[in-house]
Amino acid sequence: MLWRKLLVPLTSIVLVLVLSAPAGVGAASASAAPAAGAASAAGFGALGPYATAVEIGAVNTLYYPRDIAQSDRRHPVIVWGNGTFAFPVVYRDLLLHWASHGFVVAAANTPQSNLGISMRAGIDLLTRRNADPSSVFHNRVDLERIGASGHSQGGAAAIVVGADPRVDTILPIQPGPLANINAVHGPALLLAGQRDSIVLPALVRAFYNAADHIPAIYGELRGADHFTVVGGAGPFAAPTTAWFRLHLMDDQAARTQFFGPGCGICADTRTWSDVRRNARATQIPATAP
């Protein structure tokens, strides 16, 4: 397929550039961030209250709150899939951003993530770590609240993994076409880039159009190309964080960004070139029942 032929060499070039770039957001400071649960629309794009840590394993790389062992709560999970020939380090800033907001991110190390095998393995890994008394994750992982996300081929993998009964919501970023959204059972936020010439917005809209059995939202980021998310969270930080804070943390401050009349992303035409919500999504009120 054309998108695969284009993506392979371009992703390889970007990977080299990112590996040589500055480290980014790894040293988040609790004193410099807004309180959890109190983030405004702009606040979701700012670092959260948790300093972060990274653990590189054979199958998954974990991004998580550094002091999770001393936390007084359980932390929800996000599993991540990379684009073709890419690795978690390419998306480091976005994954650390989520970790700073209190999520445990299990990023698949594979550069060929479409089947979602390594993403499911991330859930299995955290299940074992949560049950292990010697682990820093012992009884600190909320395995009842799991989201799936990824970019390009990994976005398609997020849709594939969305069929897993353990996964509550999906957030594919510019997903490739090799997936079937009909098996997804939780709400979906599908993100496209207005200037993406590899995964065309029409391909992402096709997933949205097929997702009439679940609450689904299509968001097209103005001016974004296929590699806007690579090497920096950029405009993807705020909406993705808000989505996961709402669906995995019950953060009602994020609710009006997506639901109710005049929702935040609906009204923000400077950031979004196109926003669509299906019938099931428009039925969700701006405030919790």
CSV table of all heavy atoms in Angstrom, one decimal, residues 189-230:
chain,number,residue,atom,x,y,z
A,189,LEU,N,-11.8,8.3,20.3
A,189,LEU,CA,-11.4,9.6,19.8
A,189,LEU,C,-10.4,9.3,18.7
A,189,LEU,O,-9.3,8.8,19.0
A,189,LEU,CB,-10.8,10.4,20.9
A,189,LEU,CG,-10.2,11.8,20.4
A,189,LEU,CD1,-11.3,12.7,19.8
A,189,LEU,CD2,-9.6,12.5,21.6
A,190,LEU,N,-10.7,9.6,17.5
A,190,LEU,CA,-9.9,9.3,16.3
A,190,LEU,C,-9.3,10.6,15.8
A,190,LEU,O,-10.1,11.5,15.4
A,190,LEU,CB,-10.8,8.6,15.2
A,190,LEU,CG,-11.3,7.3,15.6
A,190,LEU,CD1,-12.8,7.2,15.2
A,190,LEU,CD2,-10.5,6.2,15.0
A,191,LEU,N,-8.0,10.7,15.8
A,191,LEU,CA,-7.3,12.0,15.5
A,191,LEU,C,-6.6,11.9,14.1
A,191,LEU,O,-6.0,10.9,13.8
A,191,LEU,CB,-6.3,12.3,16.5
A,191,LEU,CG,-6.9,12.6,17.9
A,191,LEU,CD1,-5.8,13.0,18.9
A,191,LEU,CD2,-8.0,13.6,17.9
A,192,ALA,N,-6.8,12.9,13.3
A,192,ALA,CA,-6.2,13.0,12.0
A,192,ALA,C,-5.4,14.3,11.9
A,192,ALA,O,-5.6,15.2,12.8
A,192,ALA,CB,-7.3,13.0,10.9
A,193,GLY,N,-4.6,14.4,10.9
A,193,GLY,CA,-3.8,15.7,10.6
A,193,GLY,C,-4.3,16.3,9.3
A,193,GLY,O,-4.4,15.6,8.3
A,194,GLN,N,-4.6,17.6,9.4
A,194,GLN,CA,-5.2,18.2,8.2
A,194,GLN,C,-4.3,18.1,7.0
A,194,GLN,O,-4.7,17.9,5.8
A,194,GLN,CB,-5.4,19.7,8.5
A,194,GLN,CG,-6.0,20.5,7.3
A,194,GLN,CD,-6.1,22.0,7.6
A,194,GLN,OE1,-5.3,22.5,8.4
A,194,GLN,NE2,-7.0,22.7,7.0
A,195,ARG,N,-2.9,18.1,7.2
A,195,ARG,CA,-2.0,18.0,6.1
A,195,ARG,C,-1.3,16.7,6.0
A,195,ARG,O,-0.2,16.6,5.5
A,195,ARG,CB,-1.0,19.2,6.2
A,195,ARG,CG,-1.6,20.6,6.1
A,195,ARG,CD,-0.6,21.7,6.2
A,195,ARG,NE,-1.2,23.0,6.1
A,195,ARG,CZ,-0.6,24.1,6.3
A,195,ARG,NH1,0.7,24.1,6.7
A,195,ARG,NH2,-1.2,25.3,6.2
A,196,ASP,N,-1.9,15.7,6.6
A,196,ASP,CA,-1.3,14.3,6.5
A,196,ASP,C,-1.4,13.8,5.1
A,196,ASP,O,-2.5,13.5,4.7
A,196,ASP,CB,-1.9,13.5,7.6
A,196,ASP,CG,-1.2,12.1,7.8
A,196,ASP,OD1,-0.4,11.8,6.9
A,196,ASP,OD2,-1.4,11.5,8.8
A,197,SER,N,-0.3,13.5,4.5
A,197,SER,CA,-0.3,12.9,3.1
A,197,SER,C,0.0,11.5,3.1
A,197,SER,O,0.1,10.8,2.0
A,197,SER,CB,0.7,13.7,2.2
A,197,SER,OG,2.0,13.6,2.7
A,198,ILE,N,0.2,10.9,4.3
A,198,ILE,CA,0.5,9.5,4.4
A,198,ILE,C,-0.7,8.7,4.9
A,198,ILE,O,-1.2,7.8,4.2
A,198,ILE,CB,1.7,9.2,5.4
A,198,ILE,CG1,2.9,9.9,4.8
A,198,ILE,CG2,1.9,7.7,5.6
A,198,ILE,CD1,4.2,9.8,5.7
A,199,VAL,N,-1.3,9.1,6.0
A,199,VAL,CA,-2.6,8.6,6.4
A,199,VAL,C,-3.6,9.7,6.2
A,199,VAL,O,-3.7,10.6,7.0
A,199,VAL,CB,-2.6,8.1,7.9
A,199,VAL,CG1,-4.0,7.7,8.3
A,199,VAL,CG2,-1.7,6.9,8.0
A,200,LEU,N,-4.2,9.7,5.1
A,200,LEU,CA,-5.1,10.8,4.7
A,200,LEU,C,-6.3,11.0,5.7
A,200,LEU,O,-6.8,10.0,6.2
A,200,LEU,CB,-5.7,10.6,3.3
A,200,LEU,CG,-4.6,10.5,2.2
A,200,LEU,CD1,-5.3,10.2,0.8
A,200,LEU,CD2,-3.8,11.8,2.0
A,201,PRO,N,-6.7,12.2,6.0
A,201,PRO,CA,-7.9,12.4,6.9
A,201,PRO,C,-9.1,11.5,6.5
A,201,PRO,O,-9.8,11.0,7.3
A,201,PRO,CB,-8.2,13.9,6.7
A,201,PRO,CG,-6.8,14.5,6.5
A,201,PRO,CD,-6.1,13.5,5.6
A,202,ALA,N,-9.3,11.3,5.2
A,202,ALA,CA,-10.4,10.5,4.7
A,202,ALA,C,-10.3,9.1,5.3
A,202,ALA,O,-11.3,8.4,5.5
A,202,ALA,CB,-10.5,10.5,3.2
A,203,LEU,N,-9.1,8.5,5.4
A,203,LEU,CA,-8.9,7.2,6.0
A,203,LEU,C,-9.4,7.1,7.4
A,203,LEU,O,-10.0,6.1,7.9
A,203,LEU,CB,-7.5,6.7,5.8
A,203,LEU,CG,-7.0,6.5,4.4
A,203,LEU,CD1,-5.5,6.2,4.4
A,203,LEU,CD2,-7.7,5.4,3.7
A,204,VAL,N,-9.0,8.2,8.2
A,204,VAL,CA,-9.4,8.2,9.6
A,204,VAL,C,-10.9,8.4,9.7
A,204,VAL,O,-11.6,7.8,10.5
A,204,VAL,CB,-8.7,9.4,10.3
A,204,VAL,CG1,-9.0,9.3,11.8
A,204,VAL,CG2,-7.2,9.2,10.1
A,205,ARG,N,-11.5,9.3,8.8
A,205,ARG,CA,-13.0,9.5,8.8
A,205,ARG,C,-13.7,8.2,8.5
A,205,ARG,O,-14.8,7.9,9.0
A,205,ARG,CB,-13.4,10.6,7.8
A,205,ARG,CG,-13.0,12.0,8.3
A,205,ARG,CD,-13.8,13.0,7.5
A,205,ARG,NE,-13.4,13.0,6.1
A,205,ARG,CZ,-12.4,13.6,5.5
A,205,ARG,NH1,-11.6,14.4,6.3
A,205,ARG,NH2,-12.2,13.5,4.2
A,206,ALA,N,-13.1,7.3,7.7
A,206,ALA,CA,-13.7,6.0,7.4
A,206,ALA,C,-13.9,5.2,8.7
A,206,ALA,O,-14.9,4.5,8.8
A,206,ALA,CB,-12.9,5.3,6.4
A,207,PHE,N,-12.9,5.2,9.5
A,207,PHE,CA,-13.1,4.5,10.8
A,207,PHE,C,-14.2,5.1,11.6
A,207,PHE,O,-15.0,4.5,12.2
A,207,PHE,CB,-11.8,4.6,11.6
A,207,PHE,CG,-10.7,3.6,11.2
A,207,PHE,CD1,-9.4,4.0,10.8
A,207,PHE,CD2,-11.0,2.2,11.2
A,207,PHE,CE1,-8.5,3.1,10.5
A,207,PHE,CE2,-10.0,1.3,10.8
A,207,PHE,CZ,-8.7,1.8,10.4
A,208,TYR,N,-14.2,6.5,11.7
A,208,TYR,CA,-15.2,7.2,12.4
A,208,TYR,C,-16.6,6.9,11.9
A,208,TYR,O,-17.5,6.6,12.6
A,208,TYR,CB,-15.0,8.7,12.3
A,208,TYR,CG,-16.2,9.6,12.7
A,208,TYR,CD1,-16.5,9.8,14.0
A,208,TYR,CD2,-17.0,10.1,11.7
A,208,TYR,CE1,-17.6,10.6,14.4
A,208,TYR,CE2,-18.1,10.9,12.0
A,208,TYR,CZ,-18.4,11.1,13.4
A,208,TYR,OH,-19.5,11.9,13.7
A,209,ASN,N,-16.8,6.9,10.6
A,209,ASN,CA,-18.1,6.6,9.9
A,209,ASN,C,-18.5,5.1,10.3
A,209,ASN,O,-19.7,4.9,10.4
A,209,ASN,CB,-18.0,6.8,8.4
A,209,ASN,CG,-17.8,8.2,8.0
A,209,ASN,OD1,-18.2,9.1,8.8
A,209,ASN,ND2,-17.2,8.4,6.9
A,210,ALA,N,-17.6,4.2,10.4
A,210,ALA,CA,-17.9,2.8,10.7
A,210,ALA,C,-18.2,2.6,12.2
A,210,ALA,O,-18.8,1.6,12.5
A,210,ALA,CB,-16.8,1.9,10.3
A,211,ALA,N,-17.9,3.6,13.0
A,211,ALA,CA,-18.0,3.4,14.5
A,211,ALA,C,-19.4,3.9,15.0
A,211,ALA,O,-19.4,4.6,16.0
A,211,ALA,CB,-16.9,4.1,15.2
A,212,ASP,N,-20.4,3.4,14.3
A,212,ASP,CA,-21.8,3.9,14.7
A,212,ASP,C,-22.3,3.1,15.9
A,212,ASP,O,-23.4,3.4,16.4
A,212,ASP,CB,-22.7,3.9,13.6
A,212,ASP,CG,-22.8,2.5,12.9
A,212,ASP,OD1,-22.2,1.6,13.4
A,212,ASP,OD2,-23.6,2.4,11.9
A,213,HIS,N,-21.6,2.1,16.4
A,213,HIS,CA,-22.1,1.3,17.5
A,213,HIS,C,-21.5,1.8,18.9
A,213,HIS,O,-21.9,1.2,19.9
A,213,HIS,CB,-21.7,-0.2,17.3
A,213,HIS,CG,-20.2,-0.4,17.2
A,213,HIS,ND1,-19.4,0.2,16.2
A,213,HIS,CD2,-19.3,-1.1,18.0
A,213,HIS,CE1,-18.1,-0.2,16.4
A,213,HIS,NE2,-18.1,-0.9,17.5
A,214,ILE,N,-20.6,2.8,18.8
A,214,ILE,CA,-20.0,3.3,20.0
A,214,ILE,C,-20.0,4.8,20.0
A,214,ILE,O,-20.0,5.4,18.9
A,214,ILE,CB,-18.5,2.8,20.2
A,214,ILE,CG1,-17.7,3.1,18.9
A,214,ILE,CG2,-18.5,1.3,20.5
A,214,ILE,CD1,-16.2,2.8,19.0
A,215,PRO,N,-19.8,5.5,21.1
A,215,PRO,CA,-19.6,7.0,21.0
A,215,PRO,C,-18.2,7.2,20.3
A,215,PRO,O,-17.2,6.7,20.8
A,215,PRO,CB,-19.6,7.4,22.5
A,215,PRO,CG,-20.3,6.3,23.2
A,215,PRO,CD,-19.9,5.1,22.5
A,216,ALA,N,-18.3,8.0,19.2
A,216,ALA,CA,-17.0,8.2,18.5
A,216,ALA,C,-16.9,9.7,18.1
A,216,ALA,O,-17.9,10.3,17.7
A,216,ALA,CB,-17.0,7.3,17.2
A,217,ILE,N,-15.7,10.2,18.2
A,217,ILE,CA,-15.4,11.6,17.8
A,217,ILE,C,-14.3,11.6,16.9
A,217,ILE,O,-13.3,10.9,17.1
A,217,ILE,CB,-15.1,12.4,19.1
A,217,ILE,CG1,-16.3,12.5,20.0
A,217,ILE,CG2,-14.7,13.9,18.7
A,217,ILE,CD1,-16.0,13.2,21.3
A,218,TYR,N,-14.4,12.4,15.8
A,218,TYR,CA,-13.3,12.6,14.8
A,218,TYR,C,-12.8,14.0,15.0
A,218,TYR,O,-13.5,15.0,15.0
A,218,TYR,CB,-13.9,12.4,13.4
A,218,TYR,CG,-12.9,12.9,12.3
A,218,TYR,CD1,-11.9,12.0,11.9
A,218,TYR,CD2,-13.0,14.1,11.7
A,218,TYR,CE1,-11.0,12.5,10.9
A,218,TYR,CE2,-12.2,14.5,10.7
A,218,TYR,CZ,-11.1,13.7,10.3
A,218,TYR,OH,-10.3,14.1,9.3
A,219,GLY,N,-11.5,14.1,15.2
A,219,GLY,CA,-10.8,15.4,15.3
A,219,GLY,C,-9.7,15.5,14.4
A,219,GLY,O,-8.8,14.7,14.3
A,220,GLU,N,-9.7,16.6,13.6
A,220,GLU,CA,-8.6,16.8,12.6
A,220,GLU,C,-7.9,18.1,13.0
A,220,GLU,O,-8.4,19.2,13.0
A,220,GLU,CB,-9.3,17.0,11.2
A,220,GLU,CG,-8.3,17.2,10.1
A,220,GLU,CD,-9.1,17.4,8.8
A,220,GLU,OE1,-9.7,16.4,8.3
A,220,GLU,OE2,-9.1,18.5,8.2
A,221,LEU,N,-6.6,17.9,13.4
A,221,LEU,CA,-5.8,19.0,13.9
A,221,LEU,C,-5.3,19.9,12.7
A,221,LEU,O,-4.7,19.4,11.8
A,221,LEU,CB,-4.6,18.4,14.6
A,221,LEU,CG,-5.0,18.0,16.1
A,221,LEU,CD1,-4.0,17.0,16.6
A,221,LEU,CD2,-5.0,19.2,17.0
A,222,ARG,N,-5.6,21.2,12.9
A,222,ARG,CA,-5.3,22.1,11.8
A,222,ARG,C,-3.8,22.2,11.6
A,222,ARG,O,-3.0,22.4,12.5
A,222,ARG,CB,-5.8,23.5,12.2
A,222,ARG,CG,-5.7,24.5,11.1
A,222,ARG,CD,-6.4,25.9,11.5
A,222,ARG,NE,-7.8,25.7,11.6
A,222,ARG,CZ,-8.7,25.7,10.6
A,222,ARG,NH1,-8.3,25.7,9.4
A,222,ARG,NH2,-10.0,25.5,10.9
A,223,GLY,N,-3.4,22.1,10.3
A,223,GLY,CA,-2.0,22.2,10.0
A,223,GLY,C,-1.1,21.0,10.3
A,223,GLY,O,0.1,21.0,9.9
A,224,ALA,N,-1.6,20.0,11.0
A,224,ALA,CA,-0.7,18.9,11.4
A,224,ALA,C,-0.5,18.0,10.2
A,224,ALA,O,-1.3,17.6,9.4
A,224,ALA,CB,-1.4,18.1,12.5
A,225,ASP,N,0.8,17.5,10.1
A,225,ASP,CA,1.1,16.5,9.1
A,225,ASP,C,1.4,15.2,9.8
A,225,ASP,O,1.1,15.1,11.0
A,225,ASP,CB,2.4,16.9,8.3
A,225,ASP,CG,3.6,17.1,9.1
A,225,ASP,OD1,3.8,16.4,10.2
A,225,ASP,OD2,4.5,17.8,8.6
A,226,HIS,N,1.9,14.2,9.1
A,226,HIS,CA,1.9,12.8,9.7
A,226,HIS,C,3.0,12.8,10.9
A,226,HIS,O,2.9,11.9,11.7
A,226,HIS,CB,2.3,11.8,8.7
A,226,HIS,CG,2.0,10.4,9.1
A,226,HIS,ND1,0.7,9.9,9.4
A,226,HIS,CD2,2.8,9.3,9.4
A,226,HIS,CE1,0.8,8.7,9.8
A,226,HIS,NE2,2.1,8.3,9.8
A,227,PHE,N,3.9,13.7,10.9
A,227,PHE,CA,5.0,13.6,11.9
A,227,PHE,C,4.9,14.7,12.9
A,227,PHE,O,5.9,14.9,13.7
A,227,PHE,CB,6.4,13.6,11.2
A,227,PHE,CG,6.5,12.4,10.3
A,227,PHE,CD1,6.5,12.5,8.9
A,227,PHE,CD2,6.7,11.1,10.8
A,227,PHE,CE1,6.6,11.4,8.1
A,227,PHE,CE2,6.9,10.0,10.0
A,227,PHE,CZ,6.8,10.2,8.6
A,228,THR,N,3.8,15.4,13.0
A,228,THR,CA,3.7,16.5,14.0
A,228,THR,C,3.8,15.9,15.4
A,228,THR,O,4.4,16.5,16.3
A,228,THR,CB,2.3,17.2,13.9
A,228,THR,OG1,2.3,17.8,12.6
A,228,THR,CG2,2.1,18.2,15.0
A,229,VAL,N,3.3,14.7,15.6
A,229,VAL,CA,3.4,14.0,17.0
A,229,VAL,C,4.7,13.4,17.3
A,229,VAL,O,5.0,13.1,18.4
A,229,VAL,CB,2.3,13.0,17.1
A,229,VAL,CG1,2.6,11.7,16.2
A,229,VAL,CG2,2.0,12.5,18.5
A,230,VAL,N,5.6,13.3,16.3
A,230,VAL,CA,6.9,12.7,16.5
A,230,VAL,C,7.9,13.7,17.0
A,230,VAL,O,8.0,14.8,16.5
A,230,VAL,CB,7.4,12.2,15.1
A,230,VAL,CG1,8.9,11.7,15.3
A,230,VAL,CG2,6.5,11.0,14.6
